[in-house]
Amino acid sequence: MDIIKMTRELGKAIQADPRYSEYTAAKEKNDGDSALQDLIGEFNLKRIELNTELSKTEREQEKLQGLDSEIKSLYGNIMANENMAAYNESKNALDSLLSQINMIITSSANGEDPETCPTEQPASGCGGGGCSSCSGCG
């Protein structure tokens, strides 16, 4: 079996994983939540308005503070939405899975044993990959 075909099989396995299903379901719910989408739209418009105000040579501090306050409030409302919370949780779970897969692939490409290589970056801040050029953890 060639490597591209095996990678396509890996893609199918990822899509069969419950984390993928949970993510896609949460994304659809998130996209279908019109109140949430309205908040996101309003948030984006306020960010544009803030950036426009910040680009002016003579800035109105009161207006900047008001926009900043509105943006923070909108962000809080967006993050408090149950669909957004579920989306973020499922996205983090899927991102973690993909990170683990990437770590195994990268470590393997750097000569480590695919069966025993780490699935997460070491806490020491190591750049990942093989340890052959490293002076040690500590």
Side-chain angles (χ1 to χ4, degrees):
M1 182 180 284
D2 75 51
I3 198 157
I4 299 300
K5 186 172 183 177
M6 291 171 69
T7 305
R8 292 186 192 285
E9 292 302 315
L10 174 59
K12 290 176 190 175
I14 290 169
Q15 290 179 344
D17 189 275
R19 288 165 282 200
Y20 176 81
S21 301
E22 290 167 11
Y23 167 75
T24 56
K27 184 178 182 321
E28 286 176 20
K29 234 177 166 179
N30 210 15
D31 291 347
D33 184 337
S34 60
L36 175 60
Q37 293 307 312
D38 289 345
L39 282 172
I40 292 170
E42 189 177 346
F43 174 82
N44 288 330
L45 289 174
K46 290 294 177 186
R47 275 192 0 196
I48 291 169
E49 192 176 341
L50 177 64
N51 287 335
T52 301
E53 193 62 34
L54 286 169
S55 69
K56 293 179 180 176
T57 53
E58 293 186 29
R59 300 177 185 150
E60 297 178 41
Q61 288 302 319
E62 197 172 295
K63 186 172 184 179
L64 288 172
Q65 289 172 342
L67 287 169
D68 185 58
S69 177
E70 287 180 70
I71 288 170
K72 286 178 182 174
S73 175
L74 286 165
Y75 182 80
N77 290 339
I78 290 167
M79 292 314 196
N81 180 287
E82 66 182 41
N83 289 329
M84 180 58 83
Y87 170 79
N88 283 332
E89 187 178 324
S90 65
K91 184 176 183 323
N92 288 339
L94 182 61
D95 285 348
S96 177
L97 171 66
L98 296 175
S99 178
Q100 291 175 6
I101 291 167
N102 188 53
M103 186 69 182
I104 293 168
I105 291 170
T106 302
S107 297
S108 299
N110 286 326
E112 292 189 39
D113 180 356
E115 293 293 328
T116 61
C117 64
T119 57
E120 296 179 3
Q121 293 285 348
S124 67
C126 176
C131 294
S132 60
S133 64
C134 183
S135 62
C137 296

